[in-house]
Amino acid sequence: MKLSKQVTADMTIETLLDAEQARFLKSHPRSAAAWRKGEESFLFGGPSHWMRRWAGGFPAYVDEAHGARIRDIDGHDYVDFCLGDTGAMCGHTPAAVLRAAQRQLARGTTMMLPTEDSLWIGEELTRRFGLPFWTLTTSATDANRGAIRIARMITGRPKVLVFSGCYHGGVEEAHVEIRDGRIGLRNMIHPNGVNHAEVSKVVEFNDLAALELALAEGDVACVLTEPIMTNFGMIPPDDGFHAAVRELTRRTGTILVIDETHTLSSGPGGYTALHGLKPDILVAGKAIAGGIPAAVFGLSQEVAERVWKIVPRVNPRTRQSAHLGIGGTLAGNALTVATMRAVLEEVLTPANYGHMLGLATRLAEDARAIISAHHLPWHVTQVGARAEIMFMPRPPKSGADVIAGRRANLETLLHAFYMNEGILVTPFHTMFLMCPATEAVEVARHADVFARFVALLQQAKVV
């Protein structure tokens, strides 16, 4: 029986991946031994189950990281375009964050009392993002949960609408997608006793007709969305999409929550400020405290006033006050506040964004030139300091497009090849992020490695 061209290519990719993983194992004996040791203590081998996702077959164990570079315990150096999947967008150990952390560690880390640094932060968040009232959390997941709870509280509605292929952290309402025309749990997530039909709605990104129909029923508390989808491969918005979403949400009394956790790479005020979006609630996380776990969410004047009608701003006089069902004792701790100020004041500055955006543009243009020279059906999308290579001929318009056209095995092979060549990209997708410490020579190095990856595929007749 003659095998199809695609089946033959897939088998060849698997063979190439086996070879790359064998190469990684041979050159990383200490990391391999450490991973085996970790499997004796951790549920999925490492401190976080996500760490098992690296394409080498096991992760490299880090010895130290500085700027845009990582060194592992086997002595290998890497150019880091993963940057903690955005958590280290400021770079590893930026001097300003280190100084602020050391100073605050000597003065106290968490007291459940405010410090004067928080006053500066509140004003700066408003200046950057345009929303007047802010709350600090320990993660973007917590910030999204807070936004959802507030939206339900002030609307009295039960459901959260998300776009298929989205990712908003561990938010249960966002664990849904459309696949083969049916709504189900996304990304191999197992049922958790939640009736998603009662708490979630999901439509395809850029499908305004489906969005209008879903909101017309009047049971959606909020639309939770990234400005451009980034976790299912980059999915750009159609022209006019955001304006239409804003009009539909206002017309139906639905709260619009924009999650800038990844798109903070767009500029000092994120995609929202750059494109003049008008969210009711804005979330930003991961990078905003220089790698210290933290996130923020901001409310518009109107939303804040609706909240205060239910829960007044005045200090409660009764012992058991309403805590809104959000927050935590470590939220807004002094260490986080000190490092967040350092990030906003000294690291994620217009000048540093200019540097980062310029390098991301260079990386994207280099990759496009290689793709064009070899007549490959691939594309590159750039959002600020972030770029992504996708093995599809054009940018997808929806999660359905990604499901239909994504070549996951080719992505995995690229990740493994890159690790062996000293380059790290986020293992969940093929995105490249710049930090203030990234240098032009490192972007040029990527172009060389990408060209050799293409040569490997062509020699194997995979493309």
Side-chain angles (χ1 to χ4, degrees), residues 45 59 61-62 128 137 144 146 233 282 320 356 372 389 396 415 451:
Y61 274 66
V62 176
R128 286 188 179 223
T137 68
N144 282 321
L282 182 142
Q320 294 297 328
M356 294 155 63
S372 177
I389 298 169
H415 293 163

Side-chain angles (χ1 to χ4, degrees), residues 154-330:
I154 64 177
T155 64
R157 299 175 180 178
K159 294 186 179 181
V160 176
L161 185 144
V162 296
F163 293 104
S164 188
C166 72
Y167 179 73
H168 298 285
V171 174
E172 191 68 49
E173 290 86 347
H175 288 168
V176 289
E177 70 174 6
I178 302 170
R179 190 174 287 268
D180 298 326
R182 303 183 57 164
I183 297 174
L185 293 181
R186 67 179 298 277
N187 198 29
M188 299 175 63
I189 293 173
H190 294 274
N192 194 34
V194 174
N195 185 346
H196 285 85
E198 293 183 355
V199 300
S200 303
K201 285 189 176 181
V202 57
V203 300
E204 295 287 1
F205 198 64
N206 287 317
D207 190 342
L208 290 172
L211 177 63
E212 183 173 18
L213 189 64
L215 296 184
E217 297 180 21
D219 57 351
V220 175
C222 66
V223 170
L224 174 60
T225 183
E226 291 184 283
I228 171 173
M229 293 185 69
T230 64
N231 272 278
F232 207 46
M234 285 193 191
I235 306 176
D238 288 342
D239 291 343
F241 176 73
H242 282 298
V245 171
R246 181 65 280 190
E247 191 278 326
L248 285 170
T249 50
R250 282 184 174 144
R251 189 202 317 161
T252 57
T254 308
I255 302 300
L256 176 59
V257 182
I258 292 184
D259 183 353
E260 288 263 17
T261 298
H262 273 173
T263 52
L264 190 60
S265 66
S266 300
Y271 193 101
T272 292
L274 187 63
H275 294 275
L277 306 187
K278 301 295 182 182
D280 297 304
I281 304 177
L282 182 142
V283 169
K286 287 193 180 181
I288 203 161
I292 301 294
V296 299
F297 67 91
L299 276 60
S300 69
Q301 181 77 36
E302 179 187 357
V303 169
E305 289 177 357
R306 292 171 71 180
V307 171
W308 296 332
K309 286 181 179 179
I310 300 170
V311 183
R313 296 183 80 181
V314 297
N315 292 331
R317 295 177 63 87
T318 56
R319 178 173 171 78
Q320 294 297 328
S321 63
H323 58 54
L324 302 181
I326 61 176
T329 54
L330 294 178

Side-chain angles (χ1 to χ4, degrees), residues 350-422:
N352 278 340
Y353 267 108
H355 171 76
M356 294 155 63
L357 268 61
L359 291 179
T361 299
R362 168 77 181 278
L363 186 145
E365 290 175 348
D366 287 348
R368 290 189 186 110
I370 293 167
I371 289 168
S372 177
H374 295 277
H375 308 289
L376 297 168
W378 304 344
H379 75 273
V380 182
T381 297
Q382 181 188 351
V383 178
R386 185 188 308 275
E388 179 169 22
I389 298 169
M390 290 192 73
F391 302 120
M392 303 169 59
R394 61 190 61 85
K397 288 183 172 290
S398 66
D401 286 351
V402 177
I403 291 170
R406 191 173 199 174
R407 298 186 66 182
N409 58 352
L410 202 51
E411 291 179 19
T412 303
L413 176 59
L414 179 142
H415 293 163
F417 181 83
Y418 272 32
M419 289 176 73
N420 281 321
E421 297 298 323

